[in-house]
Amino acid sequence: MPPSVKISNFPPGTTLFDVSTSLSLVMTPQPEKEPTTRPSERARGRVLVIADDKLPQFTEIVTPRGLDVFGVSNGAAAMVSLTRTRPHVVIADAATRGLRLKELAKMLAQSDDGIPLIQIGAEPSTVSLRRMAVIDGAFDYFTLPAELDLLVEKTLQLVLLRQKIDRLRADADLDSLTGLANRRRFRVALQGEVERWRRYRVPCALLMLDIDHLKSVNDRFGHPVGDMVIRQIAQTLKEVSRDNDTAARLGGEEFALLLAGVDLQRAVAAAERLRLALSSKRVEAVGSITVSIGVAGVPENATSERMLYSASDGALYVSKNAGRDRVSVAPPLQEKLPGV
């Protein structure tokens, strides 16, 4: 495969990373299947209720107060709903068919999100019973319907706490200027995708991007204009990325786009589409901005995260040394990059 490629005349109206066709890669998102949790709902709290009685009174009270409630009536359905709804809090009745409360509590506690569990039941909430619930991994126990109001307030409290933790976690993983993933979050995603190839032979690819002549923009127009250029590049990366891709700013004018489940051929086509899309945009007072891109994939060019990063970074330098505003592709594992 040559170190640089030029692909043009792409049709409008499809996604930049439409993996069903390696060349139908542009900017506007295609309609997708409706997600279980719509984007507009993500600001609201989410509660999963696991009980034979799905607590209609509870739902009626908390919905106007900013919570969406999802109800299931057996343990098997609960496991599926946990993935689909990604709740902030789980409320469970130990008497629910097929539910093992201790196992559920342990699983929630060990999850990356650390989802809190509230236990409910018909038995009076004695000190002894509440103590046993806490020992089993729940945050508390409430008798229903007698303590419905307490359940509502505790749920709201825990949801607010979870949302605050989520915001703090997001801030720690995001680049402050662009809102893209930062280097730390990128490394975690890169490790995960390469591990997915090792286990399941699902390919992935890495695009390394560098803004051409950004130093000249800063020197001529000032750093605020340079920051505007960086934000515009970042915004385009956000627009064209799929949910399972990772767009990151690694520092300065350097960006990365990790493509999940995409082989090298499709990644090269995607990179060229991205280059054309970015160069077609204009920045006020500056004009058009171009980028240099290096592409590498697993398993064609690498079999570890370190090798993948090094291969795509090497290809990026080929693009920069060859005149910029182009896409270069890392060679197969056994070959050496020309000019590096």
Side-chain angles (χ1 to χ4, degrees), residues 85-105:
T85 63
R86 299 182 61 224
H88 295 104
V89 173
V90 174
I91 299 172
D93 186 342
T96 304
R97 174 169 45 91
L99 178 64
R100 297 177 179 178
L101 200 65
K102 287 185 179 180
E103 291 183 9
L104 174 64

Side-chain angles (χ1 to χ4, degrees), residues 34-46 66-68 70 84-85 88 163:
E34 184 180 32
T36 305
T37 305
R38 299 177 182 88
S40 61
E41 294 172 340
R42 289 175 183 168
R44 294 172 60 86
R46 298 182 300 276
L67 301 188
D68 290 327
F70 306 89
R84 289 182 175 175
T85 63
H88 295 104
Q163 289 177 322

